[in-house]
Amino acid sequence: MTAAVGIRATTLTPFAYHSLAVQGGTATLPELISDNALCFGLANALGYARAWCALPPKDYRRDLAAMPWRASVLTTDQPRLLPPIARRLNLEEEGGFQKKLRDVVSKGNLKQFWSIQEVPPYVEFRGALFGPDPFEEVGATQIVIRVGLHRNGMVKLERDDDVRRVRLNAATAALFGQAQELAVERFLLYGLQLTKPIALEEAAKEISRWN
């Protein structure tokens, strides 16, 4: 059975994803950090991410299969969002678009000003990693990873031996052909389909089949 490492993740800076459509922009899901965000953030922090001269075709199964661990979803009991803030997409100076395209930047995907809501600092999430203990691998009690749009969020990871139950992502299980026996309790997004909380030992047994 795959070894389980309880994780406490504390946000150090705000972060957001384009998760939910809201008026004039997007808002992230404040109650979780996805299993994939954790895995990819850790892979980048520990040097597992391979440098490419061009973006490879999108293939989450390929990339996750190359990593030595899997993860549960990280969840919090006290979800919070910051007030909306305005962001600008500078198409005239940076985009180099022709006038006929600049004339339509006030709407649709070319909209210049849009709002976003971020998860604030000092929110604690809990979950688990399954596989080698990354803290032992690097000889540290804390690891800082980057998550969110443009990796602008910083999250501190620490061991948490009090984690007893976690939620798995059935969408990730489906990438490895193992979703048929996982009941989905909460369907948030296509890529985020949460199981009910299950015991850490049971989660480790299930995830050992994700390869």
Side-chain angles (χ1 to χ4, degrees):
M1 183 172 66
T2 304
V5 180
I7 293 291
R8 179 171 69 254
T10 305
T11 57
L12 301 178
T13 62
F15 78 87
Y17 287 100
H18 289 311
S19 300
L20 304 175
V22 297
Q23 185 174 6
T26 60
T28 197
L29 292 167
E31 65 196 87
L32 60 84
I33 296 174
S34 76
D35 55 329
N36 287 345
L38 173 58
C39 285
F40 280 95
L42 193 58
N44 278 281
L46 300 188
Y48 282 89
R50 177 181 174 184
W52 293 77
C53 60
L55 287 177
K58 182 177 178 180
D59 187 340
Y60 284 137
R61 187 189 187 286
R62 174 201 62 206
D63 296 337
L64 290 170
M67 299 179 193
W69 51 73
R70 305 287 179 264
S72 76
V73 175
L74 299 174
T75 59
T76 181
D77 294 328
Q78 297 180 320
R80 290 185 289 142
L81 283 175
L82 293 170
I85 60 173
R87 294 285 178 85
R88 185 185 181 211
L89 180 64
N90 190 335
L91 296 177
E92 287 91 343
E93 288 79 6
E94 298 178 16
F97 289 144
Q98 299 176 3
K99 182 180 183 301
K100 66 180 179 180
L101 292 178
R102 297 201 305 268
D103 288 341
V104 297
V105 297
S106 61
K107 60 185 178 180
N109 292 333
L110 297 178
K111 186 174 181 178
Q112 282 185 297
F113 286 95
W114 45 280
S115 66
I116 195 164
Q117 281 189 273
E118 300 175 301
V119 175
Y122 310 117
V123 178
E124 290 189 350
F125 298 81
R126 285 176 168 80
L129 277 168
F130 302 89
D133 186 333
F135 303 102
E136 290 185 0
E137 293 287 325
V138 299
T141 59
Q142 300 177 352
I143 299 172
V144 176
I145 66 171
R146 288 189 171 274
V147 300
L149 297 174
H150 311 298
R151 300 197 178 279
N152 63 349
M154 299 177 67
V155 176
K156 178 177 66 177
L157 303 181
E158 300 171 283
R159 283 192 67 123
D160 188 341
D161 295 331
D162 292 330
V163 173
R164 295 288 181 268
R165 302 178 72 81
V166 295
R167 290 180 183 267
L168 300 183
N169 186 357
T172 304
L175 292 177
F176 295 96
Q178 298 295 330
Q180 62 273 13
E181 297 181 5
L182 283 179
V184 175
E185 184 179 73
R186 299 190 60 200
F187 188 106
L188 299 177
L189 300 169
Y190 178 79
L192 280 170
Q193 303 177 32
L194 307 190
T195 67
K196 65 181 181 180
I198 60 177
L200 201 58
E201 296 78 10
E202 182 182 348
K205 183 178 179 180
E206 169 61 35
I207 278 189
S208 66
R209 296 194 286 266
W210 297 10
N211 50 47

